[in-house]
Amino acid sequence: MAVMQPDEASMEPPGWETIEELFAALESPLLSYAFRLVGELSVAEDVVQETFMKLHAQFEKVREPRRWLYRTVHNQALNHRRQTNKIVPLNPQQEGGAAADIDATDPQPLPDEQIARWEGIGLVRLSLEALDERSRELIRLKFNEGLSYREISTRTGLKVGHVGYLLHHALKSIGDELAKLGVVP
């Protein structure tokens, strides 16, 4: 029985003189190792392929190819995990099927939408001006101050039912006026 010398213990087994031999012998165990690290077969395959491409580029310089391959697969897998942890999915449903608390949309309207809104507001104001003073006051109390019909009734002295009737007709008049101006609700 031959006793290995300390410097021989780290040497590669014989027969791995080409990268093809290394690939044939170590592809499957490296894939298993990479899969345990990244948890996805296609990613593990990419990691192993990239590792062998790196080895091919510097095969003559690598003294212990087996150790080098495992270390490189390990590092590539960790780099992949770091990179994927930085990625935030655009679709909130992607992570575990639950909606994320992230809203990737810009809350500001587009410029043409903002202009259309301003034009609409201007047309509503013009329509309000066409109403009589009492109707304008009722609309102001209801929509600007947020009062209920009962509160409007108390403030104006009108009956609650009459407040509702007048507001209904005032809003209908504004709608008719906006329709004439081409604004469709």
Side-chain angles (χ1 to χ4, degrees):
M1 179 168 178
V3 177
M4 295 182 90
Q5 299 298 324
D7 56 59
E8 292 178 303
S10 63
M11 291 179 57
E12 295 293 327
W16 290 351
E17 295 179 11
T18 66
I19 196 164
E20 291 82 10
E21 292 170 344
L22 272 169
F23 186 79
L26 296 177
E27 178 196 22
S28 184
L30 284 170
L31 272 173
S32 296
Y33 181 60
F35 180 73
R36 285 193 309 267
L37 293 172
V38 296
E40 192 175 329
L41 183 58
S42 64
V43 174
E45 289 170 343
D46 291 344
V47 165
V48 171
Q49 180 181 6
E50 182 68 28
T51 300
F52 273 103
M53 297 292 287
K54 286 182 175 190
L55 178 62
H56 185 272
Q58 54 189 342
F59 186 65
E60 298 301 322
K61 297 176 188 174
V62 175
R63 295 181 62 188
E64 298 178 38
R66 182 178 186 276
R67 177 179 283 169
W68 187 94
L69 284 167
Y70 274 93
R71 174 53 51 198
T72 304
V73 163
H74 179 84
N75 292 341
Q76 293 274 101
L78 292 181
N79 287 343
H80 172 77
R81 286 174 52 188
R82 278 189 214 106
Q83 290 300 320
T84 56
N85 286 340
K86 291 180 185 177
I87 297 172
V88 176
L90 290 178
N91 182 355
Q93 297 295 328
Q94 286 178 349
E95 290 297 318
D101 292 336
I102 300 170
D103 184 8
T105 59
D106 184 359
Q108 297 297 320
L110 295 172
D112 57 338
E113 293 171 338
Q114 186 65 42
I115 291 171
R117 182 174 180 199
W118 289 333
E119 287 175 351
I121 290 170
L123 292 173
V124 168
R125 286 185 177 154
L126 286 175
S127 300
L128 275 170
E129 293 302 317
L131 295 175
D132 62 277
E133 182 61 39
R134 181 173 63 175
S135 296
R136 283 197 305 268
E137 178 65 12
L138 291 175
I139 287 177
R140 187 188 65 74
L141 292 172
K142 177 66 181 163
F143 296 102
N144 289 2
E145 294 187 27
L147 299 180
S148 68
Y149 285 7
R150 184 171 309 285
E151 293 168 325
I152 294 171
S153 170
T154 302
R155 197 174 284 184
T156 61
L158 298 170
K159 293 183 180 182
V160 175
H162 197 62
V163 168
Y165 174 83
L166 292 172
L167 275 172
H168 169 77
H169 283 287
L171 293 172
K172 187 172 181 338
S173 294
I174 291 173
D176 292 344
E177 186 66 28
L178 290 173
K180 287 180 194 172
L181 297 171
V183 177
V184 180

